[in-house]
PDB file of all heavy atoms in Angstrom:
ATOM      1  N   ASN A 768     -14.128 -13.443  -7.037  1.00 93.00           N
ATOM      2  CA  ASN A 768     -15.345 -14.260  -7.175  1.00 93.00           C
ATOM      3  C   ASN A 768     -16.173 -14.279  -5.896  1.00 93.00           C
ATOM      4  O   ASN A 768     -17.390 -14.487  -5.942  1.00 93.00           O
ATOM      5  CB  ASN A 768     -14.985 -15.691  -7.572  1.00 93.00           C
ATOM      6  CG  ASN A 768     -14.467 -15.780  -8.999  1.00 93.00           C
ATOM      7  OD1 ASN A 768     -14.654 -14.862  -9.796  1.00 93.00           O
ATOM      8  ND2 ASN A 768     -13.796 -16.871  -9.320  1.00 93.00           N
ATOM      9  N   TYR A 769     -15.519 -14.086  -4.758  1.00 91.00           N
ATOM     10  CA  TYR A 769     -16.247 -14.072  -3.483  1.00 91.00           C
ATOM     11  C   TYR A 769     -16.978 -12.747  -3.256  1.00 91.00           C
ATOM     12  O   TYR A 769     -17.791 -12.634  -2.347  1.00 91.00           O
ATOM     13  CB  TYR A 769     -15.294 -14.350  -2.319  1.00 91.00           C
ATOM     14  CG  TYR A 769     -15.037 -15.823  -2.083  1.00 91.00           C
ATOM     15  CD1 TYR A 769     -13.777 -16.367  -2.232  1.00 91.00           C
ATOM     16  CD2 TYR A 769     -16.076 -16.679  -1.705  1.00 91.00           C
ATOM     17  CE1 TYR A 769     -13.531 -17.720  -2.010  1.00 91.00           C
ATOM     18  CE2 TYR A 769     -15.848 -18.027  -1.479  1.00 91.00           C
ATOM     19  CZ  TYR A 769     -14.576 -18.541  -1.633  1.00 91.00           C
ATOM     20  OH  TYR A 769     -14.353 -19.881  -1.414  1.00 91.00           O
ATOM     21  N   PHE A 770     -16.648 -11.737  -4.060  1.00 86.00           N
ATOM     22  CA  PHE A 770     -17.328 -10.453  -3.934  1.00 86.00           C
ATOM     23  C   PHE A 770     -18.303 -10.295  -5.099  1.00 86.00           C
ATOM     24  O   PHE A 770     -17.897 -10.075  -6.244  1.00 86.00           O
ATOM     25  CB  PHE A 770     -16.325  -9.293  -3.938  1.00 86.00           C
ATOM     26  CG  PHE A 770     -15.589  -9.141  -2.645  1.00 86.00           C
ATOM     27  CD1 PHE A 770     -14.295  -9.615  -2.518  1.00 86.00           C
ATOM     28  CD2 PHE A 770     -16.182  -8.533  -1.556  1.00 86.00           C
ATOM     29  CE1 PHE A 770     -13.601  -9.483  -1.327  1.00 86.00           C
ATOM     30  CE2 PHE A 770     -15.504  -8.394  -0.357  1.00 86.00           C
ATOM     31  CZ  PHE A 770     -14.215  -8.873  -0.239  1.00 86.00           C
ATOM     32  N   VAL A 771     -19.576 -10.403  -4.808  1.00 74.00           N
ATOM     33  CA  VAL A 771     -20.591 -10.279  -5.858  1.00 74.00           C
ATOM     34  C   VAL A 771     -21.047  -8.835  -6.026  1.00 74.00           C
ATOM     35  O   VAL A 771     -21.761  -8.515  -6.965  1.00 74.00           O
ATOM     36  CB  VAL A 771     -21.811 -11.180  -5.550  1.00 74.00           C
ATOM     37  CG1 VAL A 771     -21.400 -12.633  -5.579  1.00 74.00           C
ATOM     38  CG2 VAL A 771     -22.423 -10.835  -4.188  1.00 74.00           C
ATOM     39  N   ASN A 772     -20.624  -7.980  -5.088  1.00 67.00           N
ATOM     40  CA  ASN A 772     -21.000  -6.570  -5.152  1.00 67.00           C
ATOM     41  C   ASN A 772     -20.277  -5.893  -6.314  1.00 67.00           C
ATOM     42  O   ASN A 772     -19.069  -5.727  -6.304  1.00 67.00           O
ATOM     43  CB  ASN A 772     -20.639  -5.875  -3.832  1.00 67.00           C
ATOM     44  CG  ASN A 772     -21.170  -4.456  -3.773  1.00 67.00           C
ATOM     45  OD1 ASN A 772     -21.478  -3.849  -4.792  1.00 67.00           O
ATOM     46  ND2 ASN A 772     -21.291  -3.923  -2.574  1.00 67.00           N
ATOM     47  N   LYS A 773     -21.018  -5.515  -7.335  1.00 67.00           N
ATOM     48  CA  LYS A 773     -20.418  -4.926  -8.536  1.00 67.00           C
ATOM     49  C   LYS A 773     -19.882  -3.523  -8.291  1.00 67.00           C
ATOM     50  O   LYS A 773     -19.197  -2.963  -9.137  1.00 67.00           O
ATOM     51  CB  LYS A 773     -21.456  -4.887  -9.660  1.00 67.00           C
ATOM     52  CG  LYS A 773     -22.029  -6.252 -10.034  1.00 67.00           C
ATOM     53  CD  LYS A 773     -20.958  -7.211 -10.502  1.00 67.00           C
ATOM     54  CE  LYS A 773     -21.564  -8.534 -10.928  1.00 67.00           C
ATOM     55  NZ  LYS A 773     -20.539  -9.520 -11.331  1.00 67.00           N
ATOM     56  N   ASN A 774     -20.203  -2.925  -7.142  1.00 81.00           N
ATOM     57  CA  ASN A 774     -19.712  -1.581  -6.854  1.00 81.00           C
ATOM     58  C   ASN A 774     -18.279  -1.571  -6.343  1.00 81.00           C
ATOM     59  O   ASN A 774     -17.687  -0.515  -6.162  1.00 81.00           O
ATOM     60  CB  ASN A 774     -20.623  -0.894  -5.828  1.00 81.00           C
ATOM     61  CG  ASN A 774     -21.995  -0.576  -6.393  1.00 81.00           C
ATOM     62  OD1 ASN A 774     -22.100  -0.225  -7.566  1.00 81.00           O
ATOM     63  ND2 ASN A 774     -23.026  -0.726  -5.594  1.00 81.00           N
ATOM     64  N   ILE A 775     -17.713  -2.742  -6.066  1.00 89.00           N
ATOM     65  CA  ILE A 775     -16.356  -2.834  -5.551  1.00 89.00           C
ATOM     66  C   ILE A 775     -15.357  -2.902  -6.707  1.00 89.00           C
ATOM     67  O   ILE A 775     -15.517  -3.687  -7.635  1.00 89.00           O
ATOM     68  CB  ILE A 775     -16.201  -4.071  -4.641  1.00 89.00           C
ATOM     69  CG1 ILE A 775     -16.994  -3.870  -3.337  1.00 89.00           C
ATOM     70  CG2 ILE A 775     -14.736  -4.332  -4.320  1.00 89.00           C
ATOM     71  CD1 ILE A 775     -16.982  -5.075  -2.432  1.00 89.00           C
ATOM     72  N   ILE A 776     -14.344  -2.068  -6.634  1.00 91.00           N
ATOM     73  CA  ILE A 776     -13.274  -2.078  -7.623  1.00 91.00           C
ATOM     74  C   ILE A 776     -12.003  -2.584  -6.948  1.00 91.00           C
ATOM     75  O   ILE A 776     -11.515  -1.977  -5.990  1.00 91.00           O
ATOM     76  CB  ILE A 776     -13.033  -0.672  -8.204  1.00 91.00           C
ATOM     77  CG1 ILE A 776     -14.277  -0.189  -8.966  1.00 91.00           C
ATOM     78  CG2 ILE A 776     -11.815  -0.673  -9.124  1.00 91.00           C
ATOM     79  CD1 ILE A 776     -14.174   1.236  -9.463  1.00 91.00           C
ATOM     80  N   ILE A 777     -11.489  -3.726  -7.416  1.00 93.00           N
ATOM     81  CA  ILE A 777     -10.262  -4.308  -6.875  1.00 93.00           C
ATOM     82  C   ILE A 777      -9.152  -4.094  -7.887  1.00 93.00           C
ATOM     83  O   ILE A 777      -9.217  -4.580  -9.018  1.00 93.00           O
ATOM     84  CB  ILE A 777     -10.446  -5.818  -6.588  1.00 93.00           C
ATOM     85  CG1 ILE A 777     -11.587  -6.036  -5.585  1.00 93.00           C
ATOM     86  CG2 ILE A 777      -9.151  -6.419  -6.064  1.00 93.00           C
ATOM     87  CD1 ILE A 777     -11.893  -7.496  -5.316  1.00 93.00           C
ATOM     88  N   LYS A 778      -8.124  -3.329  -7.484  1.00 95.00           N
ATOM     89  CA  LYS A 778      -7.039  -3.015  -8.413  1.00 95.00           C
ATOM     90  C   LYS A 778      -5.686  -3.129  -7.719  1.00 95.00           C
ATOM     91  O   LYS A 778      -5.567  -2.894  -6.511  1.00 95.00           O
ATOM     92  CB  LYS A 778      -7.201  -1.594  -8.965  1.00 95.00           C
ATOM     93  CG  LYS A 778      -8.452  -1.387  -9.805  1.00 95.00           C
ATOM     94  CD  LYS A 778      -8.543   0.029 -10.341  1.00 95.00           C
ATOM     95  CE  LYS A 778      -7.554   0.282 -11.453  1.00 95.00           C
ATOM     96  NZ  LYS A 778      -7.768   1.598 -12.114  1.00 95.00           N
ATOM     97  N   ASP A 779      -4.661  -3.468  -8.498  1.00 96.00           N
ATOM     98  CA  ASP A 779      -3.287  -3.450  -7.989  1.00 96.00           C
ATOM     99  C   ASP A 779      -2.879  -2.029  -7.657  1.00 96.00           C
ATOM    100  O   ASP A 779      -3.255  -1.074  -8.351  1.00 96.00           O
ATOM    101  CB  ASP A 779      -2.318  -3.985  -9.052  1.00 96.00           C
ATOM    102  CG  ASP A 779      -2.377  -5.495  -9.186  1.00 96.00           C
ATOM    103  OD1 ASP A 779      -3.179  -6.118  -8.468  1.00 96.00           O
ATOM    104  OD2 ASP A 779      -1.632  -6.037 -10.018  1.00 96.00           O
ATOM    105  N   ILE A 780      -2.063  -1.902  -6.634  1.00 97.00           N
ATOM    106  CA  ILE A 780      -1.552  -0.579  -6.289  1.00 97.00           C
ATOM    107  C   ILE A 780      -0.657  -0.035  -7.405  1.00 97.00           C
ATOM    108  O   ILE A 780      -0.484   1.177  -7.539  1.00 97.00           O
ATOM    109  CB  ILE A 780      -0.783  -0.628  -4.945  1.00 97.00           C
ATOM    110  CG1 ILE A 780      -0.668   0.773  -4.342  1.00 97.00           C
ATOM    111  CG2 ILE A 780       0.584  -1.300  -5.105  1.00 97.00           C
ATOM    112  CD1 ILE A 780      -0.234   0.774  -2.886  1.00 97.00           C
ATOM    113  N   ASP A 781      -0.130  -0.950  -8.243  1.00 97.00           N
ATOM    114  CA  ASP A 781       0.690  -0.535  -9.390  1.00 97.00           C
ATOM    115  C   ASP A 781      -0.097   0.368 -10.341  1.00 97.00           C
ATOM    116  O   ASP A 781       0.489   1.223 -11.015  1.00 97.00           O
ATOM    117  CB  ASP A 781       1.180  -1.763 -10.155  1.00 97.00           C
ATOM    118  CG  ASP A 781       1.894  -2.760  -9.257  1.00 97.00           C
ATOM    119  OD1 ASP A 781       1.228  -3.363  -8.404  1.00 97.00           O
ATOM    120  OD2 ASP A 781       3.112  -2.923  -9.409  1.00 97.00           O
ATOM    121  N   ASP A 782      -1.418   0.174 -10.385  1.00 97.00           N
ATOM    122  CA  ASP A 782      -2.253   0.995 -11.262  1.00 97.00           C
ATOM    123  C   ASP A 782      -2.323   2.443 -10.792  1.00 97.00           C
ATOM    124  O   ASP A 782      -2.807   3.316 -11.518  1.00 97.00           O
ATOM    125  CB  ASP A 782      -3.675   0.421 -11.339  1.00 97.00           C
ATOM    126  CG  ASP A 782      -3.709  -0.939 -12.020  1.00 97.00           C
ATOM    127  OD1 ASP A 782      -2.844  -1.193 -12.879  1.00 97.00           O
ATOM    128  OD2 ASP A 782      -4.588  -1.758 -11.682  1.00 97.00           O
ATOM    129  N   TYR A 783      -1.845   2.682  -9.561  1.00 97.00           N
ATOM    130  CA  TYR A 783      -1.842   4.038  -9.010  1.00 97.00           C
ATOM    131  C   TYR A 783      -0.415   4.583  -8.879  1.00 97.00           C
ATOM    132  O   TYR A 783      -0.127   5.441  -8.044  1.00 97.00           O
ATOM    133  CB  TYR A 783      -2.537   4.046  -7.644  1.00 97.00           C
ATOM    134  CG  TYR A 783      -3.981   3.591  -7.715  1.00 97.00           C
ATOM    135  CD1 TYR A 783      -4.346   2.317  -7.288  1.00 97.00           C
ATOM    136  CD2 TYR A 783      -4.975   4.428  -8.227  1.00 97.00           C
ATOM    137  CE1 TYR A 783      -5.663   1.891  -7.356  1.00 97.00           C
ATOM    138  CE2 TYR A 783      -6.292   4.009  -8.304  1.00 97.00           C
ATOM    139  CZ  TYR A 783      -6.629   2.737  -7.869  1.00 97.00           C
ATOM    140  OH  TYR A 783      -7.938   2.311  -7.946  1.00 97.00           O
ATOM    141  N   ASN A 784       0.477   4.043  -9.714  1.00 96.00           N
ATOM    142  CA  ASN A 784       1.865   4.519  -9.810  1.00 96.00           C
ATOM    143  C   ASN A 784       2.711   4.222  -8.568  1.00 96.00           C
ATOM    144  O   ASN A 784       3.659   4.961  -8.258  1.00 96.00           O
ATOM    145  CB  ASN A 784       1.916   6.019 -10.135  1.00 96.00           C
ATOM    146  CG  ASN A 784       1.325   6.333 -11.492  1.00 96.00           C
ATOM    147  OD1 ASN A 784       1.282   5.471 -12.382  1.00 96.00           O
ATOM    148  ND2 ASN A 784       0.833   7.550 -11.661  1.00 96.00           N
ATOM    149  N   PHE A 785       2.369   3.157  -7.847  1.00 97.00           N
ATOM    150  CA  PHE A 785       3.226   2.639  -6.788  1.00 97.00           C
ATOM    151  C   PHE A 785       3.662   1.232  -7.200  1.00 97.00           C
ATOM    152  O   PHE A 785       2.899   0.493  -7.819  1.00 97.00           O
ATOM    153  CB  PHE A 785       2.485   2.565  -5.448  1.00 97.00           C
ATOM    154  CG  PHE A 785       2.354   3.883  -4.755  1.00 97.00           C
ATOM    155  CD1 PHE A 785       1.268   4.716  -5.012  1.00 97.00           C
ATOM    156  CD2 PHE A 785       3.305   4.306  -3.839  1.00 97.00           C
ATOM    157  CE1 PHE A 785       1.130   5.935  -4.378  1.00 97.00           C
ATOM    158  CE2 PHE A 785       3.187   5.535  -3.198  1.00 97.00           C
ATOM    159  CZ  PHE A 785       2.095   6.351  -3.466  1.00 97.00           C
ATOM    160  N   ASP A 786       4.880   0.860  -6.844  1.00 96.00           N
ATOM    161  CA  ASP A 786       5.360  -0.485  -7.138  1.00 96.00           C
ATOM    162  C   ASP A 786       4.935  -1.411  -6.001  1.00 96.00           C
ATOM    163  O   ASP A 786       5.458  -1.332  -4.891  1.00 96.00           O
ATOM    164  CB  ASP A 786       6.885  -0.495  -7.285  1.00 96.00           C
ATOM    165  CG  ASP A 786       7.413  -1.823  -7.835  1.00 96.00           C
ATOM    166  OD1 ASP A 786       6.803  -2.870  -7.546  1.00 96.00           O
ATOM    167  OD2 ASP A 786       8.435  -1.810  -8.549  1.00 96.00           O
ATOM    168  N   GLY A 787       3.988  -2.289  -6.280  1.00 95.00           N
ATOM    169  CA  GLY A 787       3.418  -3.152  -5.259  1.00 95.00           C
ATOM    170  C   GLY A 787       4.378  -4.145  -4.656  1.00 95.00           C
ATOM    171  O   GLY A 787       4.085  -4.749  -3.611  1.00 95.00           O
ATOM    172  N   ASN A 788       5.555  -4.329  -5.285  1.00 94.00           N
ATOM    173  CA  ASN A 788       6.552  -5.239  -4.726  1.00 94.00           C
ATOM    174  C   ASN A 788       7.307  -4.634  -3.555  1.00 94.00           C
ATOM    175  O   ASN A 788       7.929  -5.368  -2.774  1.00 94.00           O
ATOM    176  CB  ASN A 788       7.581  -5.626  -5.795  1.00 94.00           C
ATOM    177  CG  ASN A 788       6.992  -6.484  -6.889  1.00 94.00           C
ATOM    178  OD1 ASN A 788       6.038  -7.217  -6.656  1.00 94.00           O
ATOM    179  ND2 ASN A 788       7.547  -6.388  -8.085  1.00 94.00           N
ATOM    180  N   PHE A 789       7.272  -3.299  -3.444  1.00 97.00           N
ATOM    181  CA  PHE A 789       8.168  -2.637  -2.497  1.00 97.00           C
ATOM    182  C   PHE A 789       7.451  -1.748  -1.483  1.00 97.00           C
ATOM    183  O   PHE A 789       8.079  -0.889  -0.871  1.00 97.00           O
ATOM    184  CB  PHE A 789       9.213  -1.817  -3.261  1.00 97.00           C
ATOM    185  CG  PHE A 789      10.112  -2.656  -4.120  1.00 97.00           C
ATOM    186  CD1 PHE A 789       9.886  -2.767  -5.485  1.00 97.00           C
ATOM    187  CD2 PHE A 789      11.156  -3.363  -3.563  1.00 97.00           C
ATOM    188  CE1 PHE A 789      10.700  -3.551  -6.285  1.00 97.00           C
ATOM    189  CE2 PHE A 789      11.986  -4.160  -4.350  1.00 97.00           C
ATOM    190  CZ  PHE A 789      11.759  -4.259  -5.709  1.00 97.00           C
ATOM    191  N   ILE A 790       6.173  -1.958  -1.289  1.00 97.00           N
ATOM    192  CA  ILE A 790       5.439  -1.134  -0.325  1.00 97.00           C
ATOM    193  C   ILE A 790       5.982  -1.333   1.086  1.00 97.00           C
ATOM    194  O   ILE A 790       6.175  -0.365   1.842  1.00 97.00           O
ATOM    195  CB  ILE A 790       3.931  -1.433  -0.371  1.00 97.00           C
ATOM    196  CG1 ILE A 790       3.360  -1.116  -1.759  1.00 97.00           C
ATOM    197  CG2 ILE A 790       3.189  -0.652   0.706  1.00 97.00           C
ATOM    198  CD1 ILE A 790       3.549   0.314  -2.196  1.00 97.00           C
ATOM    199  N   GLU A 791       6.268  -2.584   1.452  1.00 96.00           N
ATOM    200  CA  GLU A 791       6.744  -2.830   2.817  1.00 96.00           C
ATOM    201  C   GLU A 791       8.168  -2.318   3.042  1.00 96.00           C
ATOM    202  O   GLU A 791       8.473  -1.775   4.100  1.00 96.00           O
ATOM    203  CB  GLU A 791       6.653  -4.318   3.157  1.00 96.00           C
ATOM    204  CG  GLU A 791       5.235  -4.780   3.426  1.00 96.00           C
ATOM    205  CD  GLU A 791       5.193  -6.129   4.123  1.00 96.00           C
ATOM    206  OE1 GLU A 791       5.510  -7.137   3.475  1.00 96.00           O
ATOM    207  OE2 GLU A 791       4.843  -6.164   5.315  1.00 96.00           O
ATOM    208  N   SER A 792       9.041  -2.489   2.071  1.00 97.00           N
ATOM    209  CA  SER A 792      10.404  -1.961   2.243  1.00 97.00           C
ATOM    210  C   SER A 792      10.387  -0.432   2.276  1.00 97.00           C
ATOM    211  O   SER A 792      11.117   0.193   3.057  1.00 97.00           O
ATOM    212  CB  SER A 792      11.337  -2.480   1.146  1.00 97.00           C
ATOM    213  OG  SER A 792      10.796  -2.294  -0.141  1.00 97.00           O
ATOM    214  N   GLN A 793       9.531   0.183   1.474  1.00 98.00           N
ATOM    215  CA  GLN A 793       9.377   1.637   1.557  1.00 98.00           C
ATOM    216  C   GLN A 793       8.801   2.030   2.913  1.00 98.00           C
ATOM    217  O   GLN A 793       9.213   3.039   3.505  1.00 98.00           O
ATOM    218  CB  GLN A 793       8.459   2.130   0.438  1.00 98.00           C
ATOM    219  CG  GLN A 793       9.067   2.041  -0.950  1.00 98.00           C
ATOM    220  CD  GLN A 793       8.113   2.494  -2.039  1.00 98.00           C
ATOM    221  OE1 GLN A 793       6.934   2.732  -1.800  1.00 98.00           O
ATOM    222  NE2 GLN A 793       8.627   2.616  -3.264  1.00 98.00           N
ATOM    223  N   ALA A 794       7.872   1.224   3.390  1.00 98.00           N
ATOM    224  CA  ALA A 794       7.251   1.508   4.686  1.00 98.00           C
ATOM    225  C   ALA A 794       8.291   1.527   5.798  1.00 98.00           C
ATOM    226  O   ALA A 794       8.267   2.411   6.670  1.00 98.00           O
ATOM    227  CB  ALA A 794       6.166   0.485   4.994  1.00 98.00           C
ATOM    228  N   PHE A 795       9.211   0.570   5.794  1.00 98.00           N
ATOM    229  CA  PHE A 795      10.194   0.530   6.882  1.00 98.00           C
ATOM    230  C   PHE A 795      11.266   1.597   6.732  1.00 98.00           C
ATOM    231  O   PHE A 795      11.867   2.014   7.732  1.00 98.00           O
ATOM    232  CB  PHE A 795      10.766  -0.878   7.037  1.00 98.00           C
ATOM    233  CG  PHE A 795       9.840  -1.768   7.826  1.00 98.00           C
ATOM    234  CD1 PHE A 795       8.939  -2.595   7.192  1.00 98.00           C
ATOM    235  CD2 PHE A 795       9.817  -1.709   9.212  1.00 98.00           C
ATOM    236  CE1 PHE A 795       8.042  -3.368   7.912  1.00 98.00           C
ATOM    237  CE2 PHE A 795       8.934  -2.483   9.950  1.00 98.00           C
ATOM    238  CZ  PHE A 795       8.043  -3.319   9.306  1.00 98.00           C
ATOM    239  N   ALA A 796      11.495   2.080   5.525  1.00 98.00           N
ATOM    240  CA  ALA A 796      12.332   3.267   5.368  1.00 98.00           C
ATOM    241  C   ALA A 796      11.628   4.475   5.994  1.00 98.00           C
ATOM    242  O   ALA A 796      12.265   5.302   6.663  1.00 98.00           O
ATOM    243  CB  ALA A 796      12.612   3.520   3.888  1.00 98.00           C
ATOM    244  N   TYR A 797      10.324   4.551   5.784  1.00 98.00           N
ATOM    245  CA  TYR A 797       9.500   5.626   6.349  1.00 98.00           C
ATOM    246  C   TYR A 797       9.394   5.501   7.871  1.00 98.00           C
ATOM    247  O   TYR A 797       9.531   6.488   8.605  1.00 98.00           O
ATOM    248  CB  TYR A 797       8.118   5.559   5.702  1.00 98.00           C
ATOM    249  CG  TYR A 797       7.136   6.621   6.119  1.00 98.00           C
ATOM    250  CD1 TYR A 797       7.299   7.950   5.740  1.00 98.00           C
ATOM    251  CD2 TYR A 797       6.007   6.285   6.872  1.00 98.00           C
ATOM    252  CE1 TYR A 797       6.380   8.921   6.103  1.00 98.00           C
ATOM    253  CE2 TYR A 797       5.079   7.247   7.236  1.00 98.00           C
ATOM    254  CZ  TYR A 797       5.265   8.566   6.849  1.00 98.00           C
ATOM    255  OH  TYR A 797       4.341   9.526   7.209  1.00 98.00           O
ATOM    256  N   LEU A 798       9.193   4.280   8.354  1.00 98.00           N
ATOM    257  CA  LEU A 798       9.100   4.050   9.801  1.00 98.00           C
ATOM    258  C   LEU A 798      10.421   4.360  10.495  1.00 98.00           C
ATOM    259  O   LEU A 798      10.440   4.783  11.652  1.00 98.00           O
ATOM    260  CB  LEU A 798       8.680   2.612  10.087  1.00 98.00           C
ATOM    261  CG  LEU A 798       7.274   2.209   9.652  1.00 98.00           C
ATOM    262  CD1 LEU A 798       7.033   0.727   9.928  1.00 98.00           C
ATOM    263  CD2 LEU A 798       6.214   3.048  10.345  1.00 98.00           C
ATOM    264  N   ALA A 799      11.531   4.142   9.795  1.00 98.00           N
ATOM    265  CA  ALA A 799      12.835   4.484  10.370  1.00 98.00           C
ATOM    266  C   ALA A 799      12.925   5.981  10.632  1.00 98.00           C
ATOM    267  O   ALA A 799      13.411   6.417  11.683  1.00 98.00           O
ATOM    268  CB  ALA A 799      13.955   4.031   9.425  1.00 98.00           C
ATOM    269  N   ILE A 800      12.442   6.770   9.684  1.00 98.00           N
ATOM    270  CA  ILE A 800      12.455   8.232   9.859  1.00 98.00           C
ATOM    271  C   ILE A 800      11.564   8.623  11.019  1.00 98.00           C
ATOM    272  O   ILE A 800      11.948   9.427  11.884  1.00 98.00           O
ATOM    273  CB  ILE A 800      12.005   8.931   8.562  1.00 98.00           C
ATOM    274  CG1 ILE A 800      12.959   8.605   7.413  1.00 98.00           C
ATOM    275  CG2 ILE A 800      11.929  10.447   8.766  1.00 98.00           C
ATOM    276  CD1 ILE A 800      12.468   9.036   6.041  1.00 98.00           C
ATOM    277  N   ARG A 801      10.362   8.054  11.060  1.00 98.00           N
ATOM    278  CA  ARG A 801       9.433   8.397  12.150  1.00 98.00           C
ATOM    279  C   ARG A 801       9.993   7.963  13.509  1.00 98.00           C
ATOM    280  O   ARG A 801       9.845   8.679  14.498  1.00 98.00           O
ATOM    281  CB  ARG A 801       8.071   7.754  11.899  1.00 98.00           C
ATOM    282  CG  ARG A 801       7.307   8.388  10.745  1.00 98.00           C
ATOM    283  CD  ARG A 801       5.907   7.827  10.608  1.00 98.00           C
ATOM    284  NE  ARG A 801       5.039   8.172  11.735  1.00 98.00           N
ATOM    285  CZ  ARG A 801       4.337   9.296  11.829  1.00 98.00           C
ATOM    286  NH1 ARG A 801       4.396  10.204  10.869  1.00 98.00           N
ATOM    287  NH2 ARG A 801       3.558   9.522  12.876  1.00 98.00           N
ATOM    288  N   SER A 802      10.637   6.808  13.542  1.00 98.00           N
ATOM    289  CA  SER A 802      11.236   6.354  14.797  1.00 98.00           C
ATOM    290  C   SER A 802      12.355   7.299  15.239  1.00 98.00           C
ATOM    291  O   SER A 802      12.468   7.643  16.414  1.00 98.00           O
ATOM    292  CB  SER A 802      11.790   4.934  14.640  1.00 98.00           C
ATOM    293  OG  SER A 802      10.762   4.005  14.395  1.00 98.00           O
ATOM    294  N   TYR A 803      13.171   7.722  14.291  1.00 98.00           N
ATOM    295  CA  TYR A 803      14.271   8.638  14.597  1.00 98.00           C
ATOM    296  C   TYR A 803      13.737   9.965  15.139  1.00 98.00           C
ATOM    297  O   TYR A 803      14.325  10.563  16.045  1.00 98.00           O
ATOM    298  CB  TYR A 803      15.107   8.868  13.344  1.00 98.00           C
ATOM    299  CG  TYR A 803      16.303   9.758  13.562  1.00 98.00           C
ATOM    300  CD1 TYR A 803      17.436   9.288  14.229  1.00 98.00           C
ATOM    301  CD2 TYR A 803      16.305  11.074  13.095  1.00 98.00           C
ATOM    302  CE1 TYR A 803      18.536  10.106  14.429  1.00 98.00           C
ATOM    303  CE2 TYR A 803      17.398  11.895  13.295  1.00 98.00           C
ATOM    304  CZ  TYR A 803      18.512  11.410  13.961  1.00 98.00           C
ATOM    305  OH  TYR A 803      19.598  12.226  14.170  1.00 98.00           O
ATOM    306  N   LEU A 804      12.598  10.394  14.600  1.00 97.00           N
ATOM    307  CA  LEU A 804      11.981  11.662  15.031  1.00 97.00           C
ATOM    308  C   LEU A 804      11.060  11.494  16.239  1.00 97.00           C
ATOM    309  O   LEU A 804      10.420  12.455  16.665  1.00 97.00           O
ATOM    310  CB  LEU A 804      11.186  12.269  13.866  1.00 97.00           C
ATOM    311  CG  LEU A 804      12.007  12.692  12.641  1.00 97.00           C
ATOM    312  CD1 LEU A 804      11.092  13.111  11.504  1.00 97.00           C
ATOM    313  CD2 LEU A 804      12.974  13.825  12.998  1.00 97.00           C
ATOM    314  N   LYS A 805      10.970  10.249  16.755  1.00 97.00           N
ATOM    315  CA  LYS A 805      10.109   9.923  17.900  1.00 97.00           C
ATOM    316  C   LYS A 805       8.624  10.143  17.585  1.00 97.00           C
ATOM    317  O   LYS A 805       7.813  10.446  18.473  1.00 97.00           O
ATOM    318  CB  LYS A 805      10.497  10.740  19.145  1.00 97.00           C
ATOM    319  CG  LYS A 805      11.946  10.598  19.556  1.00 97.00           C
ATOM    320  CD  LYS A 805      12.306   9.174  19.921  1.00 97.00           C
ATOM    321  CE  LYS A 805      13.750   9.048  20.393  1.00 97.00           C
ATOM    322  NZ  LYS A 805      14.146   7.633  20.652  1.00 97.00           N
ATOM    323  N   LEU A 806       8.271   9.974  16.312  1.00 97.00           N
ATOM    324  CA  LEU A 806       6.869  10.065  15.904  1.00 97.00           C
ATOM    325  C   LEU A 806       6.218   8.685  16.033  1.00 97.00           C
ATOM    326  O   LEU A 806       6.892   7.656  15.886  1.00 97.00           O
ATOM    327  CB  LEU A 806       6.765  10.555  14.460  1.00 97.00           C
ATOM    328  CG  LEU A 806       7.274  11.974  14.189  1.00 97.00           C
ATOM    329  CD1 LEU A 806       7.303  12.242  12.692  1.00 97.00           C
ATOM    330  CD2 LEU A 806       6.422  13.002  14.913  1.00 97.00           C
TER     331      LEU A 806
END
C-alpha cells in the first residue's frame, strides 16, 4: 500500500522456485564454502 507505483512487482521468492523459509540457512552453507576457499 505504501508503493503507489504500479510498475513495481512485489513477489515471494517462492514464486521463483526458491523456498523463502531457507534462504539464510542456504546462504550460510554457501558462505561456509566460500570461507573455506578463502573467497
Side-chain angles (χ1 to χ4, degrees):
N768 290 343
Y769 277 116
F770 284 101
V771 295
N772 187 340
K773 302 300 183 183
N774 291 324
I775 291 176
I776 296 175
I777 301 176
K778 296 181 73 172
D779 284 1
I780 200 166
D781 306 68
D782 294 331
Y783 300 104
N784 296 336
F785 282 89
D786 190 328
N788 292 331
F789 297 100
I790 299 301
E791 285 196 289
S792 50
Q793 290 178 351
F795 279 95
Y797 182 70
L798 294 177
I800 299 169
R801 289 186 67 86
S802 295
Y803 182 75
L804 296 173
K805 304 298 183 185
L806 296 171

